[in-house]
Structures are given as structure tokens and as C-alpha cells.
Amino acid sequence: MKIRTLLAVLARRRAIRRHQRWDRGDLAYHQEHALAELRAHAMARSRFYHRFHRGLDAASLYQLPVLTKTTAMEHFDELVVDPGVRLADVLAHLDTAGDGLFRDRYVVCATSGSTGRRGVLLLDHDEWITHIASYARAQEWAGVAAGLTHKVRMAVVSSRVPWHASARVGATVHSRFVPTLRLDATDPLPDTIDKLNAFQPDCLVGYASMLHVLASEQREGRLRVSPRAVMSASEVLTAETKRRVHAAWGVEPFDVYAATETADLASDCSRHRKHLYEDLVIVESVDEHHRPVPAGVVGASVLVTVLFSRTQPLIRYEMSDRVALSAERCDCGIGFALLDRVEGRAEDIVELPALVGGNVAVHPNVFHRALELVPAAAWQVIAGRESVRVLLERPDGVDLDAVARTVAKELARHSVAGLPVRIETVDTIPRTALGKAPLVIRAA
């Protein structure tokens, strides 16, 4: 990280640190004014929003239309405020320029397209500074804040694909103040272990599925690191993975809820309760008709309004995440509202044949109950209409027939037709191109 960029990030982190002490009135005032500025900017500079929000100047945020990823990408050239930017040129840049700036001005991040369509995000320098400061806040809450006088050795085990957000952040923050080891979750596990042992991170960050595996490697003596903080990102952090991390390193992992389009949306405080970053993003948990759901109820999707987005304004942008907000307050001193829980994306729910005909929606928690305590390094369910396959990574003395019966019993409890359950042992759970290992996936 260049010293100028580092100083800008530290200044932005100090500025947003003051926000977390606001009372609810101060926060509401900030959101109202930040939202008004964002809407005025979008209407004046974006041809898409000039049409999309026409006649809605007096409407509240919750009366504005929902922006889907499909619509945002179909109208990308009109949505971005730079009239010279074309999506085709941005995609060509991603394929050829690696992690360089687009037109020497914009940071480009992209999603993998796992939800059906690839998303592309353009950020100018100021937006990127806020993006990085958002991640820095999560580290500060985890007790491993870096600075000019506080060096933090950070290892990130996620993706090194240049356009992936975690790779872009890791490349930006790497410096003598934040020495950063970036590892790809798809690399051979022995290589990852050797590099971590040599690096000895103060802060270990990774996909939840990788932390699950690394904690087991630590318990078995092959991995020998002593991080002061462990941070989970990008995947749902299960109770069993939390238990394994604590058993391996004596610390409870800090969970971070983030997205490419928003940076961090929420992260754990010192009490390990997840606070929304309400000063940066307005989050709505809504049902199938985009109506707000009560606190404690898991919605069908999430609508986000990114208050600092300017190059590519995102107002009521829909993400397929399923979350529940909370009406409780935390005594940690942070005034932001709490996020009760994250249950993953809507795509994680599989449709299976029902006992009485038709289909039944099966939530991943059904499989969690059946498989979390199975003594194996990891597991994955591949659910199809003809059968359910369960992959177990290096199981230790497991009665495979008993596991199959347990899974079948859980499915029957949820009115799934009697599909055959096949248990398969593997050396390694297969990962996506970005290194993720989804716990439940649909069969092709």
C-alpha cells in the first residue's frame, strides 16, 4: 500500500469510528442527508436513474423501485455516471489487465456469477478508500487494528482471482504496516499449511469452510500458527466451525458479513454480536414481494442502499441473501443495530420431491442438523430430484450407513419423498473457481 493510500484509509477509519458512538437520532440524521445526496447525484448524473426514479422526488426510500442485478447489468452503461464507460470495455479489462486500474482511474471488482449472472462493480479512488476502511473497521472490532505504529501480519485464505473483492483488498492493504499473505483456497492444502507456518499471521482471515479445515489441521499438529484473531468471511459460519476454531486456537472467530457491491455490511463486535454498518449501507430484509419483514424473521432477500456509492449508484439493490434483523441492542458501546443471523443465499435452498406430490423447499439447516457432528474434515450435499449425495472429507471411523439413515430421517421429517441417500468419502471437498466450498448445492 502506498503511504498516501494508507494515510487516506487511516483518516477514513478515524472518521467512521466516530459514527459508531452516535445515538439513533444522530444516525437517522446522517442517513437522511447521505441518502438525499446519493439520490440527487444519481438523478443528475445517471441516465438510468433519471428514468428509473422519474416522478419520485418526493417518495421515501421505501417507495422507490427495487434494482435487481439483472437490471443493473443490462443497463450498466446508463447506470454508471461516467458516460464514456462501457460494460464491454470493463469486461475486456477484467480478462486482460488483472488487478490494474480501469482507465487508470477505477478499481473493478466482479462477482463470480454463481447466482446466475456476473456482477461488475466500478469504484473511484474515494469510494475504494471507504471500501478498505470498511474492512479495517471489522479488524478494529476484532482487536487487530493496523496502523503506522501497529503492524499486523495478516493471512487471507480465500481467492486470488484478480477481480475478486478479497484479492483486490489484499493487494491494496499489503505493506510493511500490514504484511499480507494471500492464499487461494483452491491451492493444495499442504502448500497452504507450509506457507502459513512460515508466515505466522497475527490475524487469520478465510472462508468459513477453509477455517473449518485449517482448525482441524491445527488440532492434528500439521498447522502450527497462533493468530490473535480469526475472522470468517463470505460463507455462513456454522456453530460446528466456531467450535473447531475455538478448540484449535482458543479464540472465538469474528464473523464478517460482506458483499462485493457493499464492502462490509456487518461484523462482530467484542461481544461477538453482529452490528450493521448503518452509516455506510441501509439494509432492508424483505419478503418475496419486497415488503419489510419483522425483526427476528428471515427475509426472502436483502435490499441495500450503498450511501457512499457514486460511480455506480446502488439504491435498493437486491441481493439474494436471507437474513434476519434484530430489535435488540448491544451493551458493547456501538450504537449500530444488530443483525440477528445470516442464513445464506436464497439459492442455497433446494427444491426436492415431496411425499404428497409436487416439491418441498429444503433449507440447508436440515442438512446441518444431520451432518455437523459427523467426525469428518468437511462435508457437502449435492441434492437432486433422483437422489441426495453426501460427500465426507476424510471421515474418521464413520458408519456410512448410519449417516445415510440420519440424513434420510431428517428429509422425511420435512416431507421429502424417499430419495436414496448416497454417502461418498473423498480426500478433498471440491471447490469453486473462487475457492468456495458450498455446503449444499443443487445437482446438475
Side-chain angles (χ1 to χ4, degrees):
M1 186 192 302
K2 295 180 179 179
I3 188 65
R4 185 176 63 180
T5 302
L6 174 63
L7 292 174
V9 170
L10 293 177
R12 192 65 50 85
R13 188 179 69 182
R14 283 196 301 274
I16 65 175
R17 182 187 296 137
R18 293 193 292 270
H19 300 175
Q20 63 201 44
R21 303 298 177 186
W22 284 341
D23 60 27
R24 300 305 296 176
D26 291 333
L27 180 61
Y29 179 84
H30 165 79
Q31 286 185 335
E32 179 183 351
H33 284 263
L35 177 61
E37 289 180 3
L38 171 62
R39 291 178 62 178
H41 171 83
M43 285 293 286
R45 299 285 304 279
S46 167
R47 290 171 292 162
F48 170 80
Y49 277 106
H50 186 74
R51 181 179 67 253
F52 197 48
H53 286 180
R54 181 177 295 146
L56 297 173
D57 292 0
S60 73
L61 172 66
Y62 309 106
Q63 295 171 313
L64 297 177
V66 170
L67 176 65
T68 66
K69 180 188 289 187
T70 298
T71 300
M73 290 300 100
E74 286 178 350
H75 298 275
F76 182 90
D77 295 355
E78 294 181 302
L79 193 151
V80 296
V81 301
D82 186 337
V85 169
R86 297 289 180 269
L87 179 59
D89 296 333
V90 178
L91 293 175
H93 166 83
L94 288 177
D95 292 336
T96 60
D99 56 3
L101 294 177
F102 175 63
R103 296 190 173 174
D104 297 321
R105 180 178 180 183
Y106 299 112
V107 172
V108 183
C109 297
T111 63
S112 63
S114 58
T115 59
R117 185 172 187 130
R118 192 181 195 186
V120 176
L121 182 69
L122 224 59
L123 305 102
D124 65 18
H125 176 74
D126 190 69
E127 291 168 302
W128 187 238
I129 292 300
T130 301
H131 211 84
I132 298 296
S134 168
Y135 288 102
R137 168 187 275 169
Q139 290 180 304
E140 186 171 66
W141 289 3
V144 283
L148 296 176
T149 60
H150 303 90
K151 184 168 75 172
V152 173
R153 299 175 64 82
M154 182 169 62
V156 182
V157 190
S158 57
S159 173
R160 294 199 65 185
V161 175
W163 42 259
H164 191 258
S166 65
R168 296 306 308 260
V169 171
T172 299
V173 302
H174 177 59
S175 65
R176 70 177 185 271
F177 304 103
V178 191
T180 304
L181 174 66
R182 293 185 293 140
L183 300 172
D184 200 302
T186 61
D187 289 343
L189 185 58
D191 293 350
T192 297
I193 291 171
D194 288 344
K195 291 174 181 176
L196 287 172
N197 284 337
F199 185 73
Q200 289 297 309
D202 300 308
C203 179
L204 176 61
V205 184
Y207 294 149
S209 59
M210 276 305 301
L211 296 179
H212 188 100
V213 172
L214 293 174
S216 296
E217 294 296 314
Q218 179 84 14
R219 293 290 303 278
E220 293 171 12
R222 290 182 287 273
L223 181 62
R224 297 176 297 280
V225 297
S226 303
R228 290 189 283 121
V230 177
M231 303 181 71
S232 172
S234 191
E235 296 174 337
V236 175
L237 180 63
T238 66
E240 175 59 15
T241 297
K242 288 182 182 180
R243 186 193 67 79
R244 290 195 182 206
V245 167
H246 190 272
W249 293 296
V251 297
E252 186 173 346
F254 289 86
D255 196 17
V256 179
Y257 174 41
T260 299
E261 298 90 343
T262 61
D264 282 0
L265 285 155
S267 67
D268 282 354
C269 67
S270 59
R271 306 284 197 273
H272 289 275
R273 304 190 73 183
K274 207 172 276 82
H275 291 264
L276 292 164
Y277 288 12
E278 293 183 283
D279 56 334
L280 302 178
V281 184
I282 297 175
V283 176
E284 304 171 60
S285 182
V286 297
D287 64 16
E288 294 84 352
H289 304 288
H290 300 134
R291 297 173 302 201
V293 299
V297 175
V298 177
S301 64
V302 166
L303 306 182
V304 295
T305 298
V306 184
L307 295 173
F308 63 90
S309 61
R310 291 296 183 270
T311 304
Q312 188 175 337
L314 296 176
I315 303 173
R316 301 202 86 199
Y317 176 80
E318 184 175 36
M319 303 192 308
S320 62
D321 297 9
R322 294 168 51 85
V323 309
L325 305 180
S326 174
E328 297 180 6
R329 288 289 177 260
C330 185
D331 63 358
C332 67
I334 296 172
F336 300 150
L338 292 169
L339 183 63
D340 185 64
R341 62 191 183 278
V342 180
E343 291 197 352
R345 303 176 317 186
E347 287 78 10
D348 295 331
I349 295 176
V350 294
E351 295 276 343
L352 297 178
L355 283 169
V356 295
N359 297 322
V360 60
V362 179
H363 193 277
N365 285 349
V366 173
F367 299 106
H368 282 270
R369 281 191 289 270
L371 297 168
E372 279 291 277
L373 298 182
V374 173
W379 57 267
Q380 184 179 76
V381 172
I382 304 170
R385 298 190 59 77
E386 304 297 328
S387 66
V388 174
R389 295 171 57 208
V390 177
L391 308 185
L392 297 180
E393 182 178 316
R394 294 179 282 121
D396 182 14
V398 174
D399 183 339
L400 302 184
D401 291 336
V403 173
R405 289 193 297 271
T406 299
V407 173
K409 183 178 179 180
E410 280 294 327
L411 291 174
R413 286 182 60 240
H414 289 80
S415 303
V416 175
L419 298 178
V421 177
R422 302 202 308 269
I423 311 296
E424 304 172 23
T425 62
V426 296
D427 292 330
T428 305
I429 296 294
R431 293 182 174 272
T432 67
L434 292 181
K436 296 183 180 181
L439 293 174
V440 181
I441 60 178
R442 294 183 178 93

